[in-house]
Amino acid sequence: MAATVTLEPAGRCAWDEPVRITVRGLSPGQPVTLRTSLRDENGALFRARALYQADADGLLDLARAPALGGSFTGLEPMGLLWALEPEKPLVRLVKRDVETPFAVELEVLEGHEPDAGRLLGRAVLERHFLRPGMRRVPVRAGRVRGTLFLPPGAGPFPGIIDLFGSGGGLCEYRASLLAGHGFAVLALAYFKFEDLPEYLDDVHLEYFEEAIDFMLQHPKVKGPGVGLLGFSKGGDLCLSMASFLKGITATVLINSCVANTITPLHYKDMFFPSLGSDPGKLVVTESGVLIFLDIWDNPLEELNYQSIIPLERAQGPFLFLVGMDDHCWKSEFYARIASERLQAHGKDRPQIIYYPGTGHCIEPPYFPLCRASVHTVLGQAILHGGEPKAQSRAQVDAWQEIQTFFHKHLSGKKSVPSSKM
């Protein structure tokens, strides 16, 4: 082929690791189109493209050359990943089998699309979810169902329990990537998986207490406590765990409510109703996408006060990551309630990071934005919100903040190496 595509690092690399893409052997100032494509495990196709111009030496370095058009514009070295869009609408890119990589095909075409010509060069980016030497251990201990990811080495390692939201099942990709940064991470299922309840009904905290005990008794997990990482419904469950259970050192919430949501919560002789909602405030767009933002009642109203989680009982610090364009619920409002409640009880103000233009699903770096997708339980499309470029920046920053927070509070490290390009 006429051009040579170089990837740094060459060969395999982790999904959350930046890669430098350069193209050599072009003509001075030559216009080219770069295209990427990826198929997920279900065969769904995702694509992105960008228009570029080689420099005076016939070199194209995506770390220095701005995109002139296509799926994005400007200097975006990782744009050909985070700008991937599904061929069919409402499909979210999710890694189901973390033991296999995503293969991203990269093509260099002569000229600018739609008038691009012959293929000049190609390469394949192997994006892995298990770094070399890591171990994936299925967990079926008592009632606990999940997967434990262990870094290479003797350990013990600071431990984290990772919870996703109301879609159910077992999501491993965030836990596997986080374990690549020196943590023992348990991806924990709590419904719609194997012999767990099929539906999210009447949650009991004793199940999560058992998961904490499993982690703290594991020889590869460093005590005296574990960290919690929760997204959406998993976030308010983490708040409840931190408030009522022992052995929690630090908690990170991604677009979480400050009240118990969706289903009642039980612990011993205590009962917490779910936050009220008004289905009449559900908005349905012309394309049939549901917007849940305004259906939730105000937790501060007296009728809903019993659903508020007493997070002032927690012993460890909190980090709230808030998408300012979250269309699922009012994450910014809930984080403010949490901060005010903690301070009213003489506790330290939580760390809150607000991300403008960012929707509900704050993923690990380089996952493309999914503004709307079909909910796995509801079977209908819901709007998450977000703007692609802002979302991509937020996800890189949030990933760094999560690692820094947990390293500081679980292992005493003050900082971690930056993964930003």
Side-chain angles (χ1 to χ4, degrees):
M1 293 187 182
T4 302
V5 181
T6 304
L7 308 175
E8 298 178 43
R12 64 174 288 161
C13 62
W15 177 272
D16 61 340
E17 190 176 355
V19 62
R20 188 164 187 168
I21 301 171
T22 55
V23 183
R24 292 177 170 82
L26 300 172
S27 302
Q30 181 176 357
V32 291
T33 298
L34 269 61
R35 298 192 309 204
T36 48
S37 61
L38 174 158
R39 284 193 185 273
D40 70 7
E41 289 102 332
N42 291 335
L45 180 63
F46 295 78
R47 289 172 169 163
R49 67 184 183 93
L51 314 181
Y52 289 99
Q53 187 171 5
D55 67 13
D57 297 318
L59 172 69
L60 175 62
D61 182 350
L62 269 58
R64 296 186 298 169
L68 307 176
S71 303
F72 57 91
T73 59
L75 188 62
E76 299 290 344
M78 294 295 290
L80 287 167
L81 278 183
W82 62 250
L84 287 165
E85 294 183 1
E87 184 179 42
K88 296 180 180 179
L90 305 177
V91 178
R92 178 179 172 186
L93 182 62
V94 175
K95 192 70 177 84
R96 294 167 179 86
D97 178 8
V98 299
E99 295 186 290
T100 62
F102 270 147
V104 182
E105 293 193 12
L106 170 65
E107 295 179 324
V108 183
L109 301 175
E110 187 176 44
H112 284 167
E113 285 191 340
D115 301 318
R118 64 190 177 102
L119 180 68
L120 300 177
R122 66 182 301 273
V124 177
L125 294 75
E126 274 201 4
R127 308 288 287 175
H128 289 256
F129 289 77
L130 289 175
R131 290 177 185 256
M134 281 180 53
R135 285 155 290 172
R136 177 187 176 274
V137 184
V139 175
R140 308 293 184 269
R143 293 180 299 169
V144 177
R145 301 290 179 266
T147 304
L148 178 63
F149 292 93
L150 296 170
F157 308 99
I160 297 169
I161 296 176
D162 182 25
L163 293 179
F164 271 77
S166 60
L170 179 60
C171 296
E172 297 183 352
Y173 62 90
R174 186 170 64 197
S176 67
L177 290 173
L178 190 56
H181 297 277
F183 302 99
V185 188
L186 175 64
L188 183 64
Y190 54 96
F191 81 104
K192 202 175 171 57
F193 180 73
E194 293 187 353
D195 58 350
L196 293 175
E198 181 67 19
Y199 301 103
L200 189 56
D201 295 325
D202 288 319
V203 174
H204 293 261
L205 270 186
E206 284 85 354
Y207 172 77
F208 302 93
E209 191 170 39
E210 198 172 325
I212 295 169
D213 291 342
F214 166 81
M215 287 292 281
L216 291 177
Q217 291 168 14
H218 198 285
K220 294 291 185 180
V221 176
K222 174 184 176 183
V226 298
L228 302 177
L229 173 59
F231 159 67
S232 193
K233 172 60 188 174
D236 73 65
L237 283 172
C238 285
L239 276 180
S240 296
M241 292 166 68
S243 301
F244 292 104
L245 306 181
K246 296 179 181 179
I248 308 299
T249 301
T251 305
V252 177
L253 297 317
I254 301 172
N255 286 327
S256 167
C257 186
V258 75
N260 178 54
T261 62
I262 302 175
T263 187
L265 179 71
H266 304 261
Y267 183 55
K268 296 182 178 178
D269 59 349
M270 292 181 283
F271 172 82
F272 300 91
S274 59
L275 178 66
S277 60
D278 181 357
K281 294 182 179 179
L282 181 69
V283 175
V284 183
T285 68
E286 290 184 1
S287 57
V289 176
L290 308 182
I291 304 177
F292 281 90
L293 182 63
D294 293 322
I295 75 164
W296 309 105
D297 291 350
N298 186 342
L300 298 180
E301 292 177 353
E302 187 174 352
L303 187 64
N304 297 299
Y305 206 68
Q306 283 189 318
S307 68
I308 294 184
I309 300 162
L311 67 165
E312 67 276 1
R313 296 177 48 143
Q315 299 302 309
F318 293 101
L319 167 62
F320 286 81
L321 303 175
V322 177
M324 301 286 280
D325 194 37
D326 185 349
H327 278 60
C328 291
W329 51 31
K330 299 176 182 178
S331 300
E332 179 187 3
F333 177 51
Y334 300 149
R336 288 205 312 268
I337 294 175
S339 180
E340 291 167 3
R341 185 177 179 104
L342 286 170
Q343 292 177 79
H345 286 83
K347 297 279 189 170
D348 290 338
R349 179 184 300 177
Q351 183 182 354
I352 305 175
I353 303 176
Y354 299 100
Y355 293 110
T358 303
H360 189 63
C361 304
I362 301 178
E363 298 273 27
Y366 316 126
F367 270 93
L369 167 68
C370 181
R371 277 191 57 81
S373 67
V374 176
H375 193 277
T376 55
V377 173
L378 296 175
Q380 292 179 280
I382 62 174
L383 184 65
H384 308 298
E387 182 276 318
K389 191 171 287 192
Q391 188 90 16
S392 71
R393 282 162 169 66
Q395 291 181 171
V396 171
D397 186 80
W399 194 237
Q400 199 73 28
E401 293 288 351
I402 290 168
Q403 294 172 53
T404 298
F405 183 82
F406 280 137
H407 275 303
K408 175 182 177 182
H409 295 291
L410 298 181
S411 55
K413 295 181 182 178
K414 292 185 179 180
S415 63
V416 294
S418 175
S419 63
K420 300 175 185 177
M421 178 174 280

